[in-house]
Amino acid sequence: MVKTEDVSTSWREVFEKSRIVPPPSQAVHQAVESHFTQTHGFQLSLTRVTAAHLRQESEGGQNLTYQLRVTLFDRNHQQFFGNTWKSSPQRMKTNKISFNEVLYFHTSLQFPTTVLVLELVSLSPRPDGSQQALGQGFTVLDLFTSRPEVQAAEGDRRLSLHHGSPRGLVHPLVKDTADYGILLKTIDGTHLECVLKNHPALVSMMHPLPENVLVSGDENIPGLTASPTGDVLLRPQLLKMFPFTLNRLTVTLQPSLERFESQLLQLISADCHNTQPGPEGTLRAVVIQERRLHVGVHNGWCFLEKPQVVVLEPLAPGTKGTADSTSKESTLIKDSSATSSPSEVLCLRSSLELKLANHHGLAIVFQLEYVFSAPIGPETMLSATSTSRAAFLQCLRWGIWCPFQDPSDWKGGEIQLVLHGGAKPNPYGVMVYSTEMSANTQSPMPLSAPGTTQVSEAKDKITFRLSSSLERKSSSPKVSLRTKQTDVSRQRRSPSSPSQGQKHIPPASPPESPQGPGLSLSQLAATSRYPTISHSSSVLPWQQSFPSLLHPSPLASAHQLSHVGRSAVSNIAHLEVDLQREENVSSWSQNEGDQLQELPFTPVHAPVISLGMNVHSTCSVSSRSSLAHLYSAGFPNIVDCSGQFAEVLDTTEPVPFDPQREETDVLQGNLMVFQFLAFTRIAAAGVGPDWPDNIYFTFQFYRFPPVTSQQLKLLSSDKVQHKTSDLLPCILATVNKDGTVNSGSPGLQVQFRVDDSFLKPGEKHWFLRYLALHTMHIDIWDSDSLLLIGSTAIELKYLLRHGKSAVQALHEVEVLTTDYVGDETLLTSADLGRHAASSPMTVHTIVRGRLHIRTGNVGCAVEPGRTRAADVMPSLSHIITPREVTSGFRGGSLSSRNILQLNARNTVQAHRLEMDGDRMPLFRHRIRPDIMPGERNLNEPDAGQHKLSCMAAVHQRESKEHVKAVKAMDRNKDAQLAQEPLQIKPTEERIKAEGIANMLSQVITTQHLLYASLGSAEYMEFVLKNPFNVPQTVTIHSDDPELSVITNTEEWRYFKALTKTPTPLEENMFHLEKDAPGPRVYLRPKESVHIPLKYQGFLCDRTMAPQGPSFLPADKSFQMAKKNLSNIVAAKTIKVTFKAEDGKPMAICQVSVELTPHVIDQTFRLYHPQLCFLKKAIRLPPWHDPTVGDPNAATQISVRCSDPNIICQTRTLVPGEPQDVYLKVPGSPSPHMKMFFVMVYTDKWMAAPSQIWQIYVHFLERVDVSCVTGQRSCQSLVLRGKQAVRKVKCFSSHPQETEMDPEGVFVLPPAAVQELQLKVQPWRAGSRFLYVNAVDVEHRRLANAWLLCLNIQQPVLSKAFEVCVPVGGGRGSSRKITYTNPYTSSRIFLLRSDHPDLLQFKEDKFQIGGGESYTIGLRFAPTQSPGSAEILVYVNNQEERTEETFCVRVKYS
């Protein structure tokens, strides 16, 4: 083991002088808004200073030396920033001071207000050996000009020096001065000669050198190769980086992890109480939400790459976490040799990959950071981004280790590094936690050398192993080739102009080198505005995180949900995982070589929208002209019961939530109104400007059935004059079944009525909580192609009326979708045959449009005569008491018609006994049709003779020629009918016995009506009484496993406290046997006991409605609310039998379960190839129960799935660590869609789900296509017919890049096979996913669906050109390119471009003879912002095969 504490002297020297002053934050924001994404590199050569007024010697006769000092300055904000560069001291000769020094820097603040301030300083020695610096004048050098065509002010300069000090530039009088020469006095005969040049080579190595830092060429910059000229920045070259693997990482905190964290929580809780005291002086519950470790490579100046963030997990004593990059798995191995009880440690279960160069100045920096969760105030105030708990970060420890200071010490061994705390400068620039105890333990003291024994104070340490990944992967020679090709592809990748409405997220690492998450889960506890990609320690590296409020579902009744009335914030991230992980890897398998890692398919899914999540847009609010156009359409107004307009709520203001005021409202009825008004199109790649043309919506409000709207057409007005930059909303209009547009009022209005007749007892409180805390997920579909356009969500808190008669709010929300795109690759011979899955995937969040929705809530008075649901329910509905039988049996029939009435009254009425079902066919063909078998009583005498007479009457009606045959038949039938009374008598006896048994069983049967929902437990207690004078052992049997007996005493106590049931509880009440039909209970004579019963159902109907719009009535004001309406679950009856020792029933409890719909908290929509298992993991962060006193006690999370064919499970980890919910869904053929629910429980006994997720899985037929950008590729698809004739049309998600043949509507005969020709012509390289749907145009139903997995390569470039286009002016630029026909015959060529918005051709099509030349005219569109772009020009033949490809690099300056 190598123990180290001292930091490399070389690294510390660089770090001490690399501390800089940050630029003004306003300037940084302005640069971001101006799209100054790339920095600008400069080279400043300081030649000499001519100063006739300066002296060569000081007053003491000593020689003076002079020095130049250079600092960056912001004229607009009057602030110096960066660092101050100092030249070497020089003597003056003949009134001239020669410096001849060069300094370099790069900055992104490309404004005319960013200048350099140069000061001339004289240095004279002091008696103590120090030097006295005295300013001798200064000057200002402009870096950028205000002219857009000439951005950088480069060239030779002769600058005059001014009297005074540069500190005069911060005087208030100088702030608004455009020219400093007016206020500053020039020193006569003094000037500075310098040369300012652009230095683009500096931008390529901006990672080792931070921005706004002035350095010389001979400066020590670790990470750059040494130059023979001594100037490493003149032609900078980066050192070659090698991959290293960091594994077996553990962190030890003193005196122990438990005591360290306990003291930390006490201090933070006390601090929170002092700053924000809670009610009645109670301490706020602060909990540890996550333990994270930042790991980065630092060269003293900055981090070479963004530090990686990994999640640490506490490890119990006696175990050790191992993570090997060979197996890429994390295992826990019990350490049998650990006889002592060491302190708990934090460990990293996975390995970490770093890129290092062999330089003694590079250091690996560790930072231990905790994420805490604390309440942020009372829950009575909700804003657009409010949550009940907030997460904050705190750095606890940090450490630095230079691996190449003495690399021979650590190769193959374990490294132990001391962690620091307290007020010390650190590379992360953050405050570090320190206490008295930790400060004492962190005093510098060298650790003992290996093999020696020394008693020292316990210190916080981090232990790990570092090994070269190349050595570990020596058996894979393609690693270096892959790295080189990745570097080449990155160098050749062009910074194309960003498309509108598209945000880029950094790519995940390849599957073969899993990294730590770039952004931790708990960072999203505060409502994030972006879907973020973060790595995981699992086998597959990509996951998507999104914020979500994990609150209890308000579906169940009050007595069921009181236990989950907690307020907590949670994040959910879903990632692809391998469910079948090996727990360990044997030694012989490791010797066989590296474990092969599967290259998984990455499913594309719609984003999960939750509270506060919204992708930022520069025009998220419509202009006044757009709003005027919207309101002039004539949408129906939302008015209250008296006809007054509903009060308009501002969606940007916080919403007060007073539950008591809402519940005591006079208007107890609520009419929820959702008006879908308009949709604003946003241009997207691959689709036309008029897409979409027809849409429909799917959503679900509260526990009402899911809503699928009818087809809506987007109406755009050509009469309105508007700017091209102002996107005009398209009014929505309903479409009738015949395809005509409804001429009535525009928009679509959906209403839900929620009143006391709909809500269950005690549900009003949870419904209000649902409105206050939840959002409603809405999917927007293209009704022509049935493709998902995107998803959005609206906040329901604006439906709270706050005592008003009616309220309304206008929402303008962005419709989002996600797109997976792989890295671009260059088409080379080495790439042919390689699979596209080896390249990492990047996720783009795309804004497809903006949806305009108006929501309203109209209060309604409850009719006085209407009976409330609460009035018909007993006060203690969960206690079932059998009714006492007071009247006797008064006789009558034992018909089954009377059985259902015996429980209400013990009398029956006379009914004719019906014949057995098996005897009915015997009589049905032997009697007249007008005579029914039950018309006479079978108990009267001569019933058989009556039947014989009836048969004789029938025979007399036969014709005379058949008399003999009829008589012969009569004799046979008479013999048979004579035997029938003998057969009927046993049947009558059996029916009588069954009737008596049924009557007796109904006498002891108690019926109970139960309202339940999916996943919620309903608690009941049945009062069982022993009617005998002898003791009985009663066996309890339920004919449905969903209704069971609670035999666990702790669980019984929990439900009794939950439902506030004041009944006795007994310990060890039930006797359980292995093969018994149910639990048994012992009853004394005449004794009554309470039997606890629990109903909880997890299964539901999985039938799905066909995908496509519905055809609703033309009246858009239809009602969607019906009491207890459900298309998901069905009612059922369950019988619980209490049998005595003789096996006869003593009592029967018949429970009628009325199942009601449930609330959907989150919606997932996934796409996956057909007939393949979908393996999914949804990550949950640590969940803490604020009702538990111990803040370290974590809540147990369990899950259930509504589909028994789907594997759904979670694993219990170390307390306080995040959990993963694993799903494994079997595949189905295309275009089937599977829907199921996942219930998440946060209590031990799963009384009610805290969240219910609705998950849709679309299965598509996967087609792999390999193609080249700009060139058309063809692929055949097969469509098979069904039972009926269909009219089918194919649609693509990117119609501008794909073509289908046949293009229009075609007839698909039954059981026929239709071949479709798919033509793909993409314009972006990389891995992409496209969709093709075959739609039945008559019924608007999906016939088949394909998932196109494109592996797109870049073409081979023939020529490259470079052109400069001026910025602004609105004129653009024109250029020409000469092309020669290489063929001997005349040919027709087509011109294509991958950026038609930036480049247009004079002619898109031309014809030239063999060997002749043609001049291609190029027209570059003007732009308003500087930058650069690479445009590819394709010369294609008539079959769209690429003949030549030109690359034009355009610089906009």
Side-chain angles (χ1 to χ4, degrees), residues 902-913:
L902 292 178
N903 191 42
R905 52 191 178 91
N906 294 322
T907 59
V908 293
Q909 298 179 355
H911 285 276
R912 297 177 178 87
L913 182 64

Side-chain angles (χ1 to χ4, degrees), residues 288-309:
I288 298 175
Q289 187 166 340
E290 200 172 67
R291 305 165 183 89
R292 310 189 308 177
L293 184 70
H294 297 248
V295 184
V297 180
H298 201 279
N299 68 344
W301 293 95
C302 61
F303 287 99
L304 300 186
E305 291 183 353
K306 185 179 180 181
Q308 302 180 41
V309 185

Side-chain angles (χ1 to χ4, degrees), residues 39 378 388 490 571 708 871 960 1058 1165 1251 1436 1439 1448:
T39 61
S388 55
R490 289 180 180 177
N571 307 317
T708 301
D871 298 335
K960 295 181 179 180
L1058 179 66
R1165 194 173 293 275
Q1251 272 211 350
N1436 295 351
E1439 290 78 20
V1448 182

Side-chain angles (χ1 to χ4, degrees), residues 373-489:
S373 177
I376 59 175
E379 297 182 8
T380 56
M381 206 67 176
L382 298 175
S383 62
T385 59
S386 67
T387 56
S388 55
R389 297 184 70 87
F392 59 92
L393 313 176
Q394 177 60 50
C395 174
L396 302 183
R397 295 290 181 264
W398 65 279
I400 293 178
W401 177 57
C402 298
F404 297 100
Q405 184 179 5
D406 193 359
S408 61
D409 292 344
W410 57 267
K411 287 187 176 179
E414 189 176 66
I415 298 99
Q416 190 176 95
L417 179 66
V418 173
L419 298 178
H420 304 275
K424 293 182 180 180
N426 59 83
Y428 291 93
V430 295
M431 301 296 293
V432 184
Y433 165 77
S434 175
T435 60
E436 249 183 55
M437 180 187 65
S438 64
N440 294 334
T441 60
Q442 299 304 318
S443 58
M445 179 180 295
L447 295 180
S448 59
T452 62
T453 304
Q454 181 178 347
V455 180
S456 61
E457 287 189 67
K459 299 187 179 184
D460 300 334
K461 294 170 294 189
I462 181 172
T463 305
F464 55 90
R465 290 178 181 268
L466 184 67
S467 59
S468 174
S469 300
L470 295 181
E471 296 176 359
R472 304 182 66 90
K473 297 180 181 180
S474 58
S475 59
S476 177
K478 294 185 178 181
V479 175
S480 59
L481 176 62
R482 186 183 298 114
T483 305
K484 292 180 181 179
Q485 291 171 351
T486 304
D487 296 339
V488 171
S489 64

Side-chain angles (χ1 to χ4, degrees), residues 49-56 92 94-96 187-191:
V49 174
T50 302
H53 70 289
L54 298 179
R55 297 174 299 173
Q56 296 185 4
M92 185 174 63
T94 63
N95 296 332
K96 294 182 179 179
I187 303 176
D188 296 334
T190 305
H191 57 269

Side-chain angles (χ1 to χ4, degrees), residues 270-286:
D271 182 70
C272 292
H273 175 68
N274 295 332
T275 54
Q276 295 180 352
E280 300 180 2
T282 59
L283 288 177
R284 296 180 178 272
V286 180

